[in-house]
Amino acid sequence: SQKIEQNSEALNIQEGKTATLTCNYTNYSPAYLQWYRQDPGRGPVFLLLIRENEKEKRKERLKVTFDTTLKQSLFHITASQPADSATYLCALATNNAGNMLTFGGGTRLMVKP
Amino acid sequence: DAGVIQSPRHEVTEMGQEVTLRCKPISGHDYLFWYRQTMMRGLELLIYFNNNVPIDDSGMPEDRFSAKMPNASFSTLKIQPSEPRDSAVYFCASSPRHTGELFFGEGSRLTVL
């Protein structure tokens, strides 16, 4: 079965720096991969979706890369702000139909002023 | 749109009692998902519906759990009888299309004493 790994340790960075979070998976490459943000006591919020034929995708200060050879996605937040502090989850489909999302354990990001 | 609406937000009950969690998806979304989140296991997919029909319930932990979707605007997740190990945050999410992003509710935090 597909296993999704995210760094369970919190990532602490200084405001203004670039945060880079990693998502690794073990088996077949999914058709697409998604990233979500979750704040304490709230539901996850969708951020970006990247397809297997896309190497990179950007949205404002966010950038996602998808390397099917390495079986890895990187999530970057440039010019980070304290308001970016949250847990970030990656998710990929694990069924043939492509609509059953399995989530990684998430990485907590702390941006210090 | 008000987003995905879940109730109750918090539920405290005693072991052996029946628990019913409710979800109203975003209007027009064809897919509805129930997830459970715990510190130990992260976000786990329990069951999902397409056009009110259950498609995959392989994540439902045992027969004590059941889910229904009687119409396009309402779904329930029932646990009977509840056990302390069922304590978790239960999320409902809806999606407008196949392989689309998920829109999560704020969750129902269940504590079984």
Side-chain angles (χ1 to χ4, degrees), chain B:
Chain B
D1 201 314
V4 175
I5 299 172
Q6 292 187 246
S7 65
R9 290 295 312 276
H10 302 274
E11 174 94 5
V12 180
T13 190
E14 292 188 347
M15 183 174 62
Q17 296 298 307
E18 177 181 300
V19 174
T20 299
L21 307 178
R22 299 172 177 79
C23 174
K24 176 179 168 53
I26 294 173
S27 177
H29 284 194
D30 295 332
Y31 292 86
L32 184 139
F33 303 80
W34 282 99
Y35 281 85
R36 176 172 69 176
Q37 187 174 39
T38 61
M39 288 294 292
M40 290 295 295
R41 300 175 67 89
L43 261 173
E44 301 174 281
L45 177 63
L46 301 177
I47 184 172
Y48 84 92
F49 295 82
N50 177 211
N51 291 324
N52 313 337
V53 177
I55 303 301
D56 194 307
D57 65 354
S58 59
M60 297 285 263
E62 35 192 286
D63 291 345
R64 298 184 297 106
F65 286 69
S66 63
K68 294 182 179 180
M69 192 165 186
N71 57 62
S73 59
F74 185 65
S75 178
T76 59
L77 178 67
K78 185 177 291 187
I79 308 172
Q80 180 183 19
S82 58
E83 297 182 2
R85 59 190 168 126
D86 302 331
S87 298
V89 181
Y90 290 82
F91 286 103
C92 175
S94 66
S95 178
R97 57 192 175 276
H98 175 63
T99 73
E101 64 268 28
L102 299 185
F103 294 78
F104 282 84
E106 297 290 37
S108 294
R109 180 176 292 277
L110 172 65
T111 302
V112 183
L113 303 175

